[in-house]
Amino acid sequence: MTLKIYNTATRRKEDFQPQNPPQVTMYNCGPTVYDYFHVGNARNFVVVDAVRRYLEHSGYTVKFVQNFTDVDDKIIKRANEKNEPWDRLAARFVDAYYEKADALAVRRATIHPKATEHIKEMLDLVVKLVEKGLAYEKNGDVYYRVRAFKGYGELSGKNIDDLLEGARVDVGELKEDPLDFALWKAAKPGEPSWTSPWGEGRPGWHLECSAMSMHHLGETIDIHSGGHDLIFPHHENERAQSCGATEKPFAKYWLHNGFLTINTEKMSKSLGNFFTINEVLDRFQPAAVRFYLLSAHYRHPLDYSDAALEEATNAVGRIREAVVTAEKILGGAVAGTTSDEAVRLEAEFKEAMDDDFNTQRAIGVIFEAVSLLNEKRQAYSRNANGESDKMAADALVGAIRRLLGILGLEDLIFSAGAADADGAFSEGLVDLLIRARKMAKEAKQFQLADYIRDELNSLGVRLQDHPTGTIWLKD
RNA sequence: GGCGACGUAGCCAAGUGGUAAGGCGGAGGUCUGCAAAACCUCUAUUCAGCGGUUCGAAUCCGCUCGUCGCCUCCA
């Protein structure tokens, strides 16, 4: 079975065929760095990261570019409000992006270009568009002549004439047509600016992604992604700029994730109904947050609530419990152990992910593996010589860890209870207490035994008695 | 107004022609000195409603109702 990807441009699932396999070029519209990102933004980063990981798992070599928009109206406005140089503000939130994205196990892109580092490429692109008659200058602004590009509206399914009604013209803009959009904006006093053939100015928002995508990945890339709200006008305009200049396709597959909602309404900064990633990570484990963001199909809306995050926390806990318990009871797993069941489950996982990255179905497969693992582990511990149960459980542990790894969840889930610096010493103490409790139990001194268990519990060390002996887990 | 998406159990959510995955929560049971964890059983005769196509539909078509999104900065 081949990987299928839903392509916004055709509104269909299509077989994924990159231009030059095994190479895949991928560009995701990254954050505008004027504030901490919110959970809705995080969904895009996590979903795209999972797509990238799955492509690599499937044997592709992914060159992945995600930009930082580090100069734009919102950054300038925020900098003025805070009385902070605009470039320092942007740099601060670039750092914040890395810190929180790292926390969610979102891998760094191959390249994280910044808009301000690609002014030259942008100007070259604008010059080319002017030369081709697709752009024109008015008072130091340069606009894209939308009606001169046939095919405008094809990505978003818009009809040019329908758009006219809602088109907006700001005061002072001298567009030939209300639909035209700014490629380059003449500098206003006090704003950052760069020298251009049309005087001092700065780039329009849409321009940077076209320039950086083509510069780093070539004129036609395999996958271009972003949130659903970028389809129009941002991606439509990027496409017009790029295809207009090169007369080649800009992106083969357009991938857009659905919104994160609150009470079914889109989470957005303008509505004010958002939670920053900082607030959310203060209250919930990164593993639970990432799990939650992957717990619905990426194109569907996902509603945010404390209850949903708590549920995700419990679900992640079930997986962690099953694997950690099994590993403690089984002892060291034999590397590379596998079984028919593990092979079957991994195939089902692949089938789910091949179907337009159906992470929800893929997670269902992982839980099926968790149930089977618990069953095998219990059978093994009740019948201590069940070598075949041990092999089966070992294989499932391996499979579960691999599958979680593909979704970027393995490290997040299992790092929580990792040993600290003086881990060996602490572990020795816990083992000592467990032996003392065992002696108390054998002497029927249950009060003392329970005291040891309860006190360990209040320190975050939970005991489980199994037929094979007592194990402990750190919450 | 134009274009588009969605409506599946108490909640979240897969399933897009062959008779309802999975998770959370809830009820009962097994194991245990008691727990914890786990396991077992149960928890949607039915997929917003009404019609139609079909041997057969949650899945296809039509209409109705409801929710949301884009059309302006927005992941």
Side-chain angles (χ1 to χ4, degrees), chain A residues 257-448:
Chain A
N257 61 278
F259 296 131
L260 192 84
T261 58
I262 289 191
N263 296 323
T264 75
E265 279 194 323
K266 175 186 174 184
M267 179 182 286
S268 75
K269 297 232 161 136
S270 45
L271 286 173
N273 60 346
F274 64 91
F275 289 98
T276 64
I277 195 64
N278 302 44
E279 297 172 81
V280 175
L281 286 175
D282 281 346
R283 298 181 50 210
F284 300 99
Q285 308 164 11
V289 176
R290 185 173 173 111
F291 178 93
Y292 159 74
L293 291 172
L294 293 173
S295 68
H297 184 95
Y298 77 88
R299 281 189 284 116
H300 290 189
L302 178 61
D303 208 53
Y304 180 88
S305 66
D306 282 1
L309 266 293
E310 282 157 16
E311 184 178 310
T313 303
N314 290 340
V316 161
R318 178 169 156 81
I319 296 171
R320 178 187 299 128
E321 189 91 14
V323 171
V324 174
T325 302
E327 286 175 339
K328 290 237 179 192
I329 289 179
L330 299 169
V334 181
T337 304
T338 192
S339 68
D340 290 349
E341 268 166 353
V343 168
R344 173 180 64 82
L345 289 166
E346 293 198 58
E348 282 178 14
F349 179 94
K350 174 172 160 39
E351 199 180 312
M353 290 298 283
D354 276 347
D355 183 12
D356 194 29
F357 310 105
N358 195 330
T359 50
Q360 165 67 19
R361 231 168 84 200
I363 286 170
V365 174
I366 292 176
F367 275 104
E368 198 184 323
V370 165
S371 288
L372 271 169
L373 170 62
N374 283 329
E375 200 182 302
K376 298 295 180 193
R377 182 219 80 213
Q378 192 167 75
Y380 171 74
S381 68
R382 283 181 177 171
N383 168 19
N385 57 357
E387 268 310 299
S388 70
D389 287 329
K390 175 170 161 47
M391 296 274 284
D394 278 343
L396 287 164
V397 166
I400 290 167
R401 280 187 171 276
R402 271 194 298 283
L403 299 183
L404 290 172
I406 294 167
L407 296 178
L409 284 166
E410 188 190 7
D411 292 344
L412 293 183
I413 289 180
F414 299 108
S415 65
D420 44 31
D422 50 359
F425 179 67
S426 310
E427 285 181 27
L429 285 179
V430 174
D431 288 338
L432 169 66
L433 287 165
I434 287 175
R435 285 197 300 277
R437 173 169 171 268
K438 184 166 181 257
M439 289 162 73
K441 280 170 65 176
E442 281 164 1
K444 304 275 184 214
Q445 292 175 17
F446 296 121
Q447 207 179 352
L448 175 59

Side-chain angles (χ1 to χ4, degrees), chain A residues 25 27 63 65 111 113-114 118 211-218:
Chain A
T25 48
Y27 185 99
K63 187 169 180 186
V65 173
I111 306 168
K114 296 188 176 85
H118 294 78
M212 291 188 278
S213 177
M214 291 196 283
H215 177 71
H216 289 289
L217 298 171

Side-chain angles (χ1 to χ4, degrees), chain A residues 104-238:
Chain A
L104 289 169
V106 172
R107 288 171 47 207
R108 305 271 173 122
T110 315
I111 306 168
H112 277 288
K114 296 188 176 85
T116 53
E117 291 167 356
H118 294 78
I119 302 292
K120 182 186 176 300
E121 286 79 13
M122 295 187 220
L123 287 173
D124 290 348
L125 181 58
V126 178
V127 167
K128 200 165 178 184
L129 289 168
V130 170
E131 282 170 358
K132 297 189 97 167
L134 286 166
Y136 56 94
E137 184 263 334
K138 291 274 181 180
N139 286 0
D141 291 339
V142 182
Y143 296 102
Y144 191 93
R145 191 175 272 132
V146 166
R147 283 182 189 275
F149 174 67
K150 66 175 195 305
Y152 189 81
E154 279 176 7
L155 173 65
S156 54
K158 305 270 182 209
N159 179 310
I160 283 198
D161 297 314
D162 292 341
L163 286 170
L164 257 182
E165 270 185 70
R168 192 184 65 168
V169 183
D170 284 338
V171 183
E173 289 188 323
L174 297 167
K175 295 178 183 176
E176 287 177 359
D177 188 306
L179 293 179
D180 293 349
F181 60 89
L183 295 167
W184 186 261
K185 301 177 177 185
K188 294 178 189 134
E191 284 186 356
S193 65
W194 288 263
T195 302
S196 83
W198 315 280
E200 290 291 300
R202 62 188 171 91
W205 175 42
H206 313 300
L207 184 63
E208 58 171 279
C209 292
S210 290
M212 291 188 278
S213 177
M214 291 196 283
H215 177 71
H216 289 289
L217 298 171
E219 292 179 336
T220 303
I221 65 169
D222 292 311
I223 300 174
H224 193 110
S225 58
H228 197 255
D229 47 2
L230 295 185
I231 297 172
F232 189 90
H234 188 235
H235 286 165
E236 192 68 70
N237 290 351
E238 277 184 46

